[in-house]
Amino acid sequence: MAVKSQTKYLWFETKKLRDYIRITDEIAAFLKESGIHEGFILVSAMHITAGVYINDWEEGLIQDIDTWLEQLAPENPAYHHHRTGETNGDAHLKRILIGHQVMVPVTEGRLDLGPWEQIFYAEFDGQRRKRVILKALGI
Amino acid sequence: MAVKSQTKYLWFETKKLRDYIRITDEIAAFLKESGIHEGFILVSAMHITAGVYINDWEEGLIQDIDTWLEQLAPENPAYHHHRTGETNGDAHLKRILIGHQVMVPVTEGRLDLGPWEQIFYAEFDGQRRKRVILKALGI
Amino acid sequence: MAVKSQTKYLWFETKKLRDYIRITDEIAAFLKESGIHEGFILVSAMHITAGVYINDWEEGLIQDIDTWLEQLAPENPAYHHHRTGETNGDAHLKRILIGHQVMVPVTEGRLDLGPWEQIFYAEFDGQRRKRVILKALGI
């Protein structure tokens, strides 16, 4: 079978410094545009102070994730990175913790996700324009 | 060359609440079924309180990983997520720490893993039926 | 379109026990060799005490990442894993934190990375020869 590839970029500019935005529907719409029935979609944050993850769409848990990331990778003026004039050292570490990309399987023309799996964009240094790449490869 | 795709689901229902199950042989068997010689296999936990990772098959280290995950993402009645009636907030965070998927490279018809790399299913909220998707794409 | 696949291994033997080595140029050179225009490159550490990640190429941040990994997954003689004679329990956990692989999107024949995204090999138990697999699949 002939392989198809499709690429799209999602843009974000959050009002808050940290935010968690559900993007499952955008990925499903992209899948339709791609015409792919079997394969993968890469969803990857292109800025190094943002991430992409798959977890629960439940406000309490999203709060828990935010609190937990701040505990393990706190805002802190003392990061060496801040000698460059930056103030977002914590955001780089939060991206590492949550991960910056997922591969979404495509089966029979639909996103093959579990019953509670939802795809999220995680912003850790917002209020500027940032991109996420969607790239599908399949048949 | 013609591309092939193959999909399979592994089911788990652990007796323990937390467990770490080696699944390398199941992935190797799936690779044979797929007939793929060059490409990728996605191995991805479809439930948001479980993970998939690649590390050492050594009982002491598996204990260390479990202790460490509990230190960094502890069981705690105070998670906001528990207002929904759930009790598994920690399991969602442990999944984030360990990761929920890996891409296994396939070269000359075999899993192209390093000498000590073994693929594991990580259960953080067990005693219920859960799935892992295996999806191969390649030639 | 006909699918192509290409595989290559990068070897590392660091002088330091822990090290962070930028490999973006090596991946770009491999992409040229592969002749792929649209698709993915998997970059994956084949040894379980090493990782691969994408983040900033800035010395201060690299120091911050190293300090942070040591805080969250410290060297410690008490790991159960050390009963086997090993001394690198922390290195296994650091690999889990930073992740061991990335999928790099390829668009119009180039690595489709964000403006600051750089690919790194992370060594946590160096002074021995280790491999990273590069595997491209695409059209």
Side-chain angles (χ1 to χ4, degrees), chain B residues 70-126:
Chain B
E70 178 59 20
Q71 275 171 358
L72 292 188
E75 293 185 36
N76 183 349
Y79 289 118
H80 292 98
H81 183 49
H82 295 173
R83 294 181 192 161
T84 62
E86 290 286 356
T87 58
N88 58 9
D90 69 297
H92 290 275
L93 303 181
K94 288 180 172 92
R95 163 183 162 107
I96 291 175
L97 260 178
I98 207 146
H100 82 281
Q101 59 180 205
V102 298
M103 288 293 275
V104 182
V106 175
T107 305
E108 296 178 5
R110 59 187 171 70
L111 304 180
D112 203 348
L113 296 169
W116 304 100
E117 284 193 307
Q118 296 280 346
I119 310 164
F120 285 88
Y121 172 72
E123 176 62 77
F124 301 122
D125 186 28

Side-chain angles (χ1 to χ4, degrees), chain B residues 1-19:
Chain B
M1 283 234 240
V3 164
K4 279 176 271 193
S5 171
Q6 182 105 347
T7 306
K8 187 177 183 172
Y9 305 93
L10 301 180
W11 285 93
F12 297 90
E13 186 171 2
T14 62
K15 289 182 185 161
K16 290 191 275 182
L17 203 61
R18 296 210 300 268
D19 212 349

Side-chain angles (χ1 to χ4, degrees), chain C:
Chain C
M1 284 236 238
V3 164
K4 279 177 270 194
S5 171
Q6 182 106 347
T7 307
K8 186 176 183 172
Y9 305 92
L10 302 180
W11 285 93
F12 298 90
E13 185 170 4
T14 62
K15 288 182 186 163
K16 290 191 276 182
L17 202 61
R18 296 211 299 270
D19 212 349
Y20 305 87
I21 299 168
R22 184 179 161 273
I23 56 173
T24 313
D25 296 342
E26 285 81 352
I27 314 301
F30 168 69
L31 171 57
K32 277 201 183 168
E33 294 162 25
S34 78
I36 282 171
H37 284 258
E38 297 288 334
F40 300 121
I41 299 174
L42 173 70
V43 183
S44 189
M46 301 180 78
H47 293 255
I48 53 189
T49 51
V52 168
Y53 71 98
I54 293 181
N55 215 304
D56 205 356
W57 185 25
E58 195 279 300
E59 278 309 311
L61 184 73
I62 291 171
Q63 263 185 275
D64 292 329
I65 289 172
D66 185 67
T67 303
W68 177 72
L69 290 171
E70 178 59 21
Q71 275 170 359
L72 293 189
E75 293 185 36
N76 183 348
Y79 290 118
H80 292 100
H81 184 48
H82 295 172
R83 294 182 193 161
T84 63
E86 290 285 357
T87 58
N88 59 7
D90 70 298
H92 290 275
L93 302 180
K94 287 180 173 93
R95 162 183 163 108
I96 291 175
L97 260 179
I98 207 147
H100 82 282
Q101 59 181 205
V102 298
M103 287 293 276
V104 183
V106 175
T107 304
E108 296 178 3
R110 60 184 172 71
L111 304 180
D112 201 349
L113 296 169
W116 304 101
E117 283 193 309
Q118 295 280 347
I119 309 164
F120 285 88
Y121 172 72
E123 177 61 77
F124 301 122
D125 185 28
Q127 300 165 342
R128 30 182 130 174
R129 273 168 65 75
K130 295 187 181 179
R131 279 195 301 170
V132 167
I133 183 169
L134 314 183
K135 187 153 204 117
L137 188 74
I139 50 184

